[in-house]
Amino acid sequence: MLTLNPEAIDLATLRQLWTGAPSRLDAASVDRVRDSAAAVERIVAGGETVYGINTGFGLLANERIPAGRLAELQRNLILSHSCGLGDALPRHVTRLMIVLKLLGLGRGYSGVRPEVIDALQSLLERDATPVIPAQGSVGASGDLAPLAHMTATLMGFGWIDLAGERIAAGAALQRLGLAPLELGPKEGLALINGTQASCAIALDALFAAERVFGAALAAGALSVDALKGSVKPFDPRISALRGQPGQIRVAAEIASLLDGSEIVASHHRCGRVQDPYSFRCQPQVMGAALDLLANAARTLTIEAAAVTDNPIVFEDEDSAISGGNFHAQPVAFAADTIAMALCEVGSLSERRTSVLVDPKMSGLPAFLVDDGGVNSGLMIPQVTAAALVSENKSLAFPASVDSIPTSAGQEDHVSMAPIAARKAATIARNAAGVIAVELIAAAQGVDYHAPLRTSAPLQQLHAKVRELSPHLTTDRYWADEMAALQAAVLAGEIISNPLMLRRD
């Protein structure tokens, strides 16, 4: 059980939460929540008009709501905003979204009661996952529709996934022995204002990107050996002269992966000067992608525990100030950079595969198979990789540069963060498929250099590939092997020590 301090969240903790580690807010957070809720009670009792506490919402912010209808106001807010469409978010993303909402509320500036914290915590502890449609948020004024669906389940509306079984929320709460939550002043707004859906999807893409990047780096090194490529481009002195931190890290990692290779040693004095860019420019391209991912990680780590609802309650002076922390532009930019980085990682991988299957470029048998003509070998797996790369290019156009006014023009600029994040997650899956194809090609290319052996770490990688895709001697059905390797990339199983992102 992780004890969470919302004021000290790091990327490593978020990575654990993404993989399903159980968690609970620390005692100091609950104390802050209680104090903030007391401030809202005092504001209501004092009769001051405060947005979202005793007013309407959006363009209706100037409509004062009488005290006797405040509970109705919050209930109607949730029901009216539960209007998403599309497939449900993956369960692990929804769980992360709930944790992020707990972190934001736990800062003690949202005015919710501890009962709200307990209700959200109960969903996590009982493996009760709200069914949340993925579409419907533009990433401003918060992820209103997704978070409304989350909140509605606490009230007994919508659907809950109980350990894989989809059940009407009211029946699910009854089965779990939980009473429907009745919202107090400000609580509905605090729950649906915020960037937690966008941030959870973006973090999902980020952590998938770590695994995809690590696999691509290892596949690229194996491809260098398959090509009998030069290791000189990975000389640390070259990267040091440029000074880009990602490039320096990538060059060192590839050099380390190739160190001790008998294949490298066999052509040490072959006179080969320059390999294609997709081989020798790996530090420059992959390093730039790594720097983008690291910057996205920095932004999302900050956002994960940020106070992003509205208005923000300052309990020390019993005030509630309306601002714009719900606008998800930082998340949108981060998600788009993840998408662009992964698009290039996949593009570089596909080009290496293309070189390896081309006998004019690689010196290896055409399409990496003997008895060509009768056998097509890796001809069409490379086409599949090309198709995925092309699809990623169309998805990589940034969503963050788009905006469309909503709420009768009151919300006249929006971030499109959830769209950017969903695209990044799709690009990650596609890129994993591209790398799966390269792994097959690189392993096959290395086989042609036997009895010479690659380095010890790349031998381990080769063995892992061969567990899922045996050496190719004659044409066979490819799809299952490719899908298994794609899944292994996304599961982080391809390389035991990937180049992990760091917040700093």
Side-chain angles (χ1 to χ4, degrees), residues 11 15 210 213-214 217-218 233-240 242-257 282-295 297-298 497-504:
L11 194 64
R15 196 180 287 113
E210 282 187 329
F213 187 93
L217 205 59
F234 314 122
D235 187 311
R237 294 172 294 180
I238 296 174
S239 294
R242 193 172 200 182
Q244 296 290 350
Q247 177 179 332
I248 292 169
R249 292 181 70 195
V250 168
E253 184 69 14
I254 295 177
S256 175
L257 287 169
Q282 289 184 75
Q284 290 76 16
V285 178
M286 293 289 283
L290 181 62
D291 287 338
L292 279 184
L293 294 175
N295 190 61
R298 184 181 305 110
N497 186 29
L499 209 60
M500 303 299 280
L501 296 172
R502 302 178 298 210
R503 176 176 168 174
D504 56 354

Side-chain angles (χ1 to χ4, degrees), residues 175-200:
R175 181 185 295 187
L176 295 171
L178 300 174
L181 180 66
E182 294 184 9
L183 297 173
K186 174 66 167 62
E187 290 181 340
L189 193 59
L191 284 162
I192 69 171
N193 264 184
T195 63
Q196 288 79 26
S198 295
C199 192

Side-chain angles (χ1 to χ4, degrees), residues 6 19 32 43 54 64 100 190 418 465 494:
T19 56
R32 288 192 296 265
I43 291 171
N54 49 18
R64 174 69 185 262
L100 297 184
V465 174
I494 289 300

Side-chain angles (χ1 to χ4, degrees), residues 215-278:
L217 205 59
L222 192 64
S223 289
V224 169
D225 246 4
L227 185 68
K228 285 193 171 181
S230 174
V231 296
K232 292 179 181 178
F234 314 122
D235 187 311
R237 294 172 294 180
I238 296 174
S239 294
L241 286 171
R242 193 172 200 182
Q244 296 290 350
Q247 177 179 332
I248 292 169
R249 292 181 70 195
V250 168
E253 184 69 14
I254 295 177
S256 175
L257 287 169
L258 287 164
D259 185 42
S261 168
E262 295 175 358
I263 299 173
V264 168
S266 73
H267 60 94
H268 180 61
R269 299 186 180 276
C270 67
R272 186 170 191 150
V273 178
Q274 292 188 341
D275 295 320
Y277 285 5
S278 57

